[in-house]
Amino acid sequence: MRNKINFYLIEYAINAILRQKYKNIFIATTLTFLIFLLTSIFFITNSIKYELNATVDALPEIVVQKIKAGRHYDIDVHATEEILAITGVVDAVARVWGYYYFENAGVNFSIVGVDEFEAQYKESLKRVVGTTGLMDAQGSAMVVGSGVKETMQNNYYKDYFNFIKPDGTLKRVDIVGAFDGDTQLESNDMIVMSKADVREIFDMRESKATDIVVKVSNPDEVVTIASKIKLIFPDSRIITKNDLKISYQNIFDYKSGIFLALFVVSLFTFFIIIYDKASGLSSEEKREIGILKAIGWRVDDVLKEKFYEGFIISFFSYMMGVIAAVGFVYIFQAPLLQNIFTGYSQLKTSFELPFIFDVQTLFLVFFLSVPIYIAATIIPSWKIATLDADEVIR
Amino acid sequence: MSKNLYTPKTPKLLFSLFALILFFTLETLYIFSSKSLDDKTLEKREEFVSIVALPDLAISTEATFIRHRSMSDIFSIYKDDGSLREYFVSTYTYSHSHIQKADKSAK
């Protein structure tokens, strides 16, 4: 193996790179930047996907909504009884939730109602509320996400918040706790309070609910149960957990796909420039190859030397790009790039993404960059190297 | 050793390549130990999701296409289609709060 790698050729390649220092530094910087961008986007996408898939199993199997005139409409609470009668359904709960738009800050809060008297909710809430813990409140109380808490504090609501009801009157609700920072990616814009309070804020009647969630014990029965519900309530839209998984996949395929499409164009352009630069080898470089052949270098020696040149530049760029991407996404929370995913959100999360070591991405980016770059440098040299030495020098 | 007499730069190159790989490994290990999801955090998140029973992350809170895709709101330019499948532009383009925009221009 030792005699396979010719160190003199590597030394020559290093010197050849250093002879054209500025050109090669420019190429390496551009390639590093491209690799950095692509890897960062993949890292962000994969982390968000991982985060979503980690919690997707905690969701109810089926969500039933009423559609009226092509739009979501409040569903009757008594529909739960009919759904419960279907074989295989473990539980059906009418949910009350929605968005509350807080004009002063221009943000949407998501308000979810839970049954206060159910002990299990109290226990669960205690486990996900931050260090301050749940304080006992008199009257209306709510637990808020960290983003909501911050927004309220910026608007001088420290201990309570005044919701404006549809009729213009105010509803005061005390803040009794904030969700743990660990759940920020899920809970940032959330407000959890009792169903009665949510109904009052949204002006919903007791007999109505936003939607109905259905728990099914056997995952194989979900499709059957969904079709049965559809038969009983033809005006409903049934969303199964599987639909959600598909839609997650769609979002990320679409978003990273758009980026990839743009990126491939820039990558392609980059390699065209490289190829063009290399195939239009300067007369000096041509002469160099000619002289090398004249003093006894074989064609494969020239190609090996060019391979080392290409490999050194592209592998260095690859490593630098990947190192920078890992730090950028997971240590600095991807400033600027995260906007592709967060869009217009006024209620910013810290964007602390969970880390997964993603070998697939690393390989994908490697094969997109290193071999292609090496090919773009070797092919023009091979064209010159196969000519006769005297022809080239002349 | 005699080899290095004629190839003084090669060991430096190999050393820097090795250093880069080592640095990458160390960085990955550090982030893996500090930023990966541990069981306790995951449990909390699952607990939270089971309480509110709403899908999606609170990353993009002004658009239905990321947050709680099961409800249309007054912010989307286009409404979600009935079958929840993404199709071009409808769920990619969305409008933000115009009140907010007016505020900004006022400033």
Side-chain angles (χ1 to χ4, degrees):
Chain A
M1 190 65 211
R2 261 187 92 82
N3 57 12
K4 280 267 167 65
I5 295 176
N6 189 333
F7 282 96
Y8 298 109
L9 278 183
I10 296 178
E11 186 72 17
Y12 186 89
I14 297 169
N15 285 323
I17 290 170
L18 292 176
R19 266 200 298 278
Q20 299 215 319
K21 206 183 290 175
Y22 295 109
K23 178 188 135 184
N24 288 322
I25 285 176
F26 171 75
I27 289 173
T29 312
T30 316
L31 191 57
T32 302
F33 183 70
L34 285 173
I35 288 167
F36 161 75
L37 262 184
L38 185 63
T39 319
S40 295
I41 287 286
F42 279 137
F43 279 160
I44 294 173
T45 314
N46 287 328
S47 284
I48 294 177
K49 253 192 223 171
Y50 173 68
E51 175 80 31
L52 281 169
N53 289 330
T55 52
V56 79
D57 288 330
L59 291 169
E61 281 76 16
I62 300 174
V63 177
V64 184
Q65 299 173 342
K66 184 175 180 168
I67 301 290
K68 190 171 177 179
R71 301 197 42 188
H72 178 275
Y73 202 75
D74 292 346
I75 197 165
D76 288 324
V77 173
H78 67 74
T80 50
E81 291 152 25
E82 288 180 66
I83 293 171
L84 271 170
I86 298 170
T87 322
V89 172
V90 178
D91 194 12
V93 181
R95 279 195 313 187
V96 185
W97 67 277
Y99 302 133
Y100 179 83
Y101 184 61
F102 180 38
E103 276 187 43
N104 281 7
V107 296
N108 266 320
F109 299 148
S110 304
I111 304 183
V112 178
V114 294
D115 291 312
E116 248 188 330
F117 44 82
E118 281 188 16
Q120 67 183 66
Y121 273 122
K122 266 242 153 94
E123 283 307 305
S124 297
L125 274 174
K126 267 182 193 155
R127 279 197 287 270
V128 291
V129 165
T131 45
T132 49
L134 269 173
M135 291 174 284
D136 284 326
Q138 313 299 323
S140 302
M142 63 180 172
V143 183
V144 297
S146 45
V148 178
K149 197 180 168 98
E150 205 176 305
T151 308
M152 286 180 177
Q153 277 182 346
N154 291 342
N155 289 280
Y156 310 105
Y157 286 109
K158 281 196 168 45
D159 308 317
Y160 67 94
F161 185 78
N162 285 329
F163 289 96
I164 302 169
K165 289 193 281 190
D167 62 2
T169 54
L170 297 180
K171 161 90 180 155
R172 178 185 159 140
V173 182
D174 292 327
I175 303 170
V176 292
F179 288 113
D180 200 314
D182 287 346
T183 63
Q184 207 199 3
L185 276 177
E186 285 86 5
S187 69
N188 198 46
D189 67 335
M190 283 285 180
I191 296 175
V192 174
M193 57 173 91
S194 73
K195 272 186 184 173
D197 287 338
V198 179
R199 280 208 165 91
E200 197 181 334
I201 289 165
F202 290 145
D203 191 22
M204 246 185 203
R205 277 179 297 158
E206 284 288 325
S207 59
K208 295 283 181 190
T210 311
D211 54 23
I212 293 171
V213 293
V214 182
K215 282 205 173 78
V216 179
S217 54
N218 183 356
D220 296 336
E221 289 176 350
V222 171
V223 182
T224 318
I225 290 168
S227 58
K228 280 183 182 173
I229 296 171
K230 184 80 185 166
L231 279 175
I232 302 170
F233 306 104
D235 64 343
S236 63
R237 174 167 74 176
I238 319 285
I239 301 159
T240 62
K241 206 191 279 187
N242 207 28
D243 284 337
L244 286 175
K245 284 180 184 171
I246 291 167
S247 68
Y248 288 164
Q249 193 62 38
N250 277 339
I251 286 174
F252 292 118
D253 286 353
Y254 182 62
K255 284 209 160 196
S256 46
I258 281 191
F259 185 82
L260 191 62
L262 293 172
F263 181 82
V264 163
V265 172
S266 58
L267 197 72
F268 201 71
T269 316
F270 175 74
F271 287 125
I272 285 175
I273 292 167
I274 297 290
Y275 185 84
D276 191 52
K277 253 191 143 61
S279 61
L281 283 175
S282 60
S283 55
E284 203 180 317
E285 282 169 318
K286 280 183 188 169
R287 258 199 21 214
E288 188 186 314
I289 293 175
I291 291 166
L292 288 178
K293 286 199 69 182
I295 58 172
W297 281 43
R298 291 191 309 267
V299 174
D300 66 336
D301 291 331
V302 175
L303 294 188
K304 261 185 200 165
E305 188 269 324
K306 286 290 170 192
F307 170 84
Y308 291 141
E309 249 180 79
F311 181 80
I312 290 167
I313 290 178
S314 57
F315 190 74
F316 258 95
S317 306
Y318 171 77
M319 282 313 293
M320 298 287 281
V322 169
I323 286 170
V326 172
F328 178 76
V329 173
Y330 296 111
I331 297 174
F332 298 106
Q333 270 96 50
L336 298 176
L337 268 196
Q338 59 159 278
N339 292 344
I340 292 178
F341 294 88
T342 59
Y344 271 114
S345 291
Q346 298 288 345
L347 214 60
K348 289 269 187 265
T349 61
S350 69
F351 214 69
E352 278 236 3
L353 295 172
F355 177 69
I356 37 165
F357 189 66
D358 186 15
V359 183
Q360 238 179 330
T361 296
L362 294 178
F363 272 104
L364 176 74
V365 176
F366 184 86
F367 287 113
L368 265 180
S369 56
V370 176
I372 298 179
Y373 179 83
I374 292 172
T377 49
I378 280 189
I379 292 166
S381 310
W382 169 75
K383 277 184 183 163
I384 304 292
T386 48
L387 298 173
D388 281 336
D390 65 329
E391 202 180 316
V392 177
I393 296 169
R394 248 185 279 138
Chain B
M1 270 321 279
S2 60
K3 203 170 242 181
N4 292 350
L5 195 67
Y6 301 105
T7 57
K9 291 181 183 126
T10 309
K12 287 179 192 164
L13 172 88
L14 294 176
F15 175 77
S16 48
L17 275 181
F18 178 74
L20 270 182
I21 293 168
L22 185 74
F23 183 76
F24 173 67
T25 314
L26 289 175
E27 183 186 46
T28 310
L29 283 175
Y30 162 71
I31 291 172
F32 184 77
S33 62
S34 62
K35 303 270 177 183
S36 52
L37 271 183
D38 54 49
D39 291 347
K40 207 176 153 194
T41 314
L42 192 60
E43 251 170 56
K44 272 186 198 164
R45 288 181 184 185
E46 280 178 350
E47 188 86 57
F48 178 81
V49 171
S50 65
I51 291 172
V52 296
L54 291 180
D56 299 348
L57 303 176
I59 287 177
S60 187
T61 53
E62 301 281 304
T64 42
F65 75 87
I66 285 278
R67 190 73 171 135
H68 323 324
R69 51 194 38 258
S70 48
M71 195 173 180
S72 306
D73 67 9
I74 48 175
F75 300 89
S76 353
I77 295 174
Y78 303 96
K79 296 285 171 241
D80 302 343
D81 74 321
S83 67
L84 276 174
R85 298 290 185 272
E86 295 261 318
Y87 62 99
F88 185 65
V89 161
S90 76
T91 45
Y92 188 68
T93 317
Y94 55 92
S95 151
H96 56 92
S97 146
H98 297 284
I99 296 165
Q100 184 72 2
K101 203 174 177 182
D103 281 353
K104 275 181 184 161
S105 59
K107 279 171 195 169

